[in-house]
Amino acid sequence: MYLVVFRNRKRADIDYAAYDAEAAVMEQMARQQPGYISFKSYTSDDGEVVALSEWDDEASARGWGKVAEHRAVQSRGRELYYDSYTLFGCGNPRIHRFETREPK
């Protein structure tokens, strides 16, 4: 598995309707990409957003990064939407799981 962590802060003056529309299209497109596993996004009380996407492998994640429509939206993001962001690519993350088991 390959994990991508995208931490970002939006500009104060962005057009949220336009941003949300583009984000929805990008999420739908990502779901169609080879190697896509999942995507979730969380917003903290101070406005920082952490988005997590899981991919089969690094090549799949990088392939999504090279899709022309995605690259165009990334460019608009830097121009119109984001105040700052940091992207982390994590290959072969160590995974620990816990699940509560229902009593029989």
Side-chain angles (χ1 to χ4, degrees), residues 39-59:
F39 174 82
K40 291 187 180 181
S41 181
Y42 305 92
T43 303
S44 70
D45 291 340
D46 69 359
E48 182 178 32
V49 176
V50 176
L52 306 170
S53 62
E54 295 176 300
W55 299 86
D56 283 339
D57 50 36
E58 184 175 359

Side-chain angles (χ1 to χ4, degrees), residues 4 11 14 28 34 40 42 45 49 53 57 60-61 74-75 80 84-85 93 95:
V4 177
R11 295 180 184 187
I14 73 167
Q28 193 62 26
K40 291 187 180 181
Y42 305 92
D45 291 340
V49 176
S53 62
D57 50 36
S60 298
Q74 287 173 328
S75 180
L80 301 172
S84 65
Y85 68 77
I95 300 168

Side-chain angles (χ1 to χ4, degrees), residues 74-102:
Q74 287 173 328
S75 180
R76 280 194 298 282
R78 288 187 293 274
E79 180 183 336
L80 301 172
Y81 304 132
Y82 296 113
D83 183 50
S84 65
Y85 68 77
T86 305
L87 186 129
F88 303 89
C90 311
N92 199 21
R94 189 168 59 174
I95 300 168
H96 299 270
R97 286 194 169 90
F98 170 81
E99 294 181 27
T100 302
R101 296 176 192 249
E102 294 293 320

Side-chain angles (χ1 to χ4, degrees), residues 10-48:
K10 310 290 188 304
R11 295 180 184 187
D13 63 345
I14 73 167
D15 177 346
Y16 275 99
Y19 177 86
D20 290 344
E22 285 196 309
V25 170
M26 289 299 100
E27 184 175 349
Q28 193 62 26
M29 285 181 65
R31 290 177 183 277
Q32 305 305 313
Q33 299 304 305
Y36 171 88
I37 298 173
S38 72
F39 174 82
K40 291 187 180 181
S41 181
Y42 305 92
T43 303
S44 70
D45 291 340
D46 69 359
E48 182 178 32

